Amino acid sequence: MRFHVLTLFPRMFDSPLSGGVIERARASGLLGIQIHDIRDHSQDRRRTVDDYPFGGGPGMLMKPAPLFEAVEAVMAAIPGGAAPVVLLSPQGKRLTQRVAEEMAQQDHLVLVCGRYEGVDERVRQHLATDEISIGDYVLSGGELAAMVVIEAVARLVPGVVGSCESALSDSFTTGLLEHPQYTRPAEFRGWQVPEILLSGNHGQIARWRRRESLRRTYERRPDLLESAPLTGEDREFIESLRRL
Ligand SMILES: C[S@@+](CC[C@H](N)C(=O)[O-])C[C@H]1O[C@@H](n2cnc3c(N)ncnc32)[C@H](O)[C@@H]1O
C-alpha cells in the first residue's frame, strides 16, 4: 500500500514514521509513504500557499491552486491515475476501525493536511473524495491526524503487523474491546495471572477471553454491544452482568 501525504511541514513526518512496524514494512517494500511539500506547487516566488478569507474573519485559508496541483502531480505518478483523496478535517467522518479497514483495501491513498483556518471550500467540494476527522477536537494542522490514519490503516495491511492474528483480535476489530492480557512472570508483586491462562486448556482459555472481552466492553463501551456480532451465549452472559 502507498500513502501520499501533502503537507506544509514535511519534516514533521520524519521520526514518527521511522520506528516499529511502520519502519520495517517500509524497508520491506510492503508500505510506501511519500511526503510532498505543498509549497512546491505555489505559484509565486515567495511560495505563498494561503490568503485572506473572502468576507473577512480571522486567520488565513489555504489557497485552492497549490492543493489541486499537488494532488494532480501525485495522481499523474500513480498507476491508473486515480486514488481516494482524503482531506483531514475536524468536520469529516470520524475515524473508526471500520473506516480504517475500508481504507486498507486501497492500493494508494492521498492524505491532504490542512493548516491555518483550513482550506478553501472548493478543495472539499471538487478535490477531496473523503473527509476524515480523528476526533471532536481541533488540531492546528492535519499532520498528526494523517499520521494517526497511516498508523491505523498500515497495521491492517497484510504482513505489516508480525502476526496477523494479533491485529485480528485487537479492540474494535472484533466489534468488542480486547480481553485483558498478561505476560511472564505468573506472579508479580503478589498479583497473580488468572489461573485459567496457565491451564493449557485452549477451549477454556478462549471462552474466558470472550467473556472478559464482553465484560470489559459492557463496563467501558456498552454502545459497542449494540452492533457487535454476538452469539446466544454472549447475550446470556451480558444479561448475567446486567443482573449483578
Ligand atoms: C485549525 S484547523 C481548522 C479548523 C477549521 N477552522 C474548522 O473549524 O473546521 C487546521 C487544520 O487542522 C486539521 N485538523 C484539525 N483538527 C482535526 C481533526 N480533529 N481531525 C483531522 N484533522 C484535523 C485539518 O486539516 C484542518 O484543516
Side-chain angles (χ1 to χ4, degrees), residues 88-91 114 116-118 132-135 137-142 145:
L88 283 312
S89 161
Q91 301 180 22
Y116 314 120
E117 281 307 305
I132 293 291
S133 165
I134 62 161
Y137 40 81
V138 177
L139 305 166
S140 296

Side-chain angles (χ1 to χ4, degrees), residues 6 36-38 41 65-75:
L6 275 53
H36 307 268
D37 190 342
I38 297 166
H41 299 273
L67 287 170
F68 272 77
E69 289 187 15
V71 169
E72 283 156 9
V74 166
M75 290 298 186

Side-chain angles (χ1 to χ4, degrees), residues 161-173:
V161 174
S163 151
C164 263
E165 283 165 20
S166 70
L168 289 179
S169 69
D170 275 344
S171 295
F172 307 112
T173 303

Side-chain angles (χ1 to χ4, degrees), residues 1-237:
M1 173 162 197
R2 302 283 173 262
F3 294 94
H4 309 266
V5 183
L6 275 53
T7 172
L8 292 177
F9 297 96
R11 285 189 8 240
M12 280 184 74
F13 290 83
D14 289 350
S15 87
L17 299 179
S18 31
V21 292
I22 299 271
E23 185 175 62
R24 258 204 330 267
R26 290 178 88 179
S28 73
L30 265 177
L31 281 187
I33 305 175
Q34 286 163 16
I35 311 297
H36 307 268
D37 190 342
I38 297 166
R39 262 183 222 287
D40 292 343
H41 299 273
S42 70
Q43 293 163 324
D44 60 56
R45 265 190 289 155
R46 293 177 52 225
R47 291 166 58 84
T48 311
V49 289
D50 58 326
D51 211 332
Y52 294 97
F54 278 123
M60 304 293 274
L61 289 176
M62 291 178 76
K63 290 159 69 68
L67 287 170
F68 272 77
E69 289 187 15
V71 169
E72 283 156 9
V74 166
M75 290 298 186
I78 291 178
V85 178
V86 179
L87 175 66
L88 283 312
S89 161
Q91 301 180 22
K93 177 159 75 171
R94 191 95 56 85
L95 180 66
T96 62
Q97 194 68 12
R98 294 289 161 270
V99 172
E101 283 163 6
E102 281 165 25
M103 289 202 253
Q105 305 300 315
Q106 302 293 334
D107 292 331
H108 293 265
L109 214 52
V110 180
L111 301 174
V112 180
C113 306
R115 275 274 156 180
Y116 314 120
E117 281 307 305
V119 299
D120 183 287
E121 186 63 18
R122 288 161 289 189
V123 171
R124 292 181 200 285
Q125 291 174 330
H126 305 294
L127 186 64
T129 57
D130 302 275
E131 279 183 61
I132 293 291
S133 165
I134 62 161
D136 289 350
Y137 40 81
V138 177
L139 305 166
S140 296
E143 286 74 12
L144 290 173
M147 291 180 219
V148 168
V149 169
I150 291 172
E151 178 107 9
V153 173
R155 59 181 283 107
L156 299 172
V157 173
V160 169
V161 174
S163 151
C164 263
E165 283 165 20
S166 70
L168 289 179
S169 69
D170 275 344
S171 295
F172 307 112
T173 303
T174 57
L176 301 171
L177 300 183
E178 194 181 50
H179 52 78
Q181 299 262 48
Y182 298 86
T183 183
R184 284 186 284 187
E187 184 192 324
F188 173 68
R189 297 189 177 180
W191 297 304
Q192 302 280 349
V193 167
E195 201 59 44
I196 184 81
L197 297 178
L198 310 176
S199 69
N201 184 328
H202 296 296
Q204 285 195 20
I205 291 172
R207 190 155 177 262
W208 180 88
R209 286 182 167 160
R210 181 73 186 171
R211 290 190 160 200
E212 290 309 308
S213 182
L214 290 165
R215 186 196 310 278
R216 186 155 279 195
T217 309
Y218 174 78
E219 287 169 357
R220 299 182 184 193
R221 291 292 307 276
D223 56 300
L224 295 177
L225 293 174
E226 284 161 28
S227 52
L230 300 175
T231 64
E233 193 182 332
D234 292 339
R235 289 180 200 285
E236 274 172 31
F237 182 66

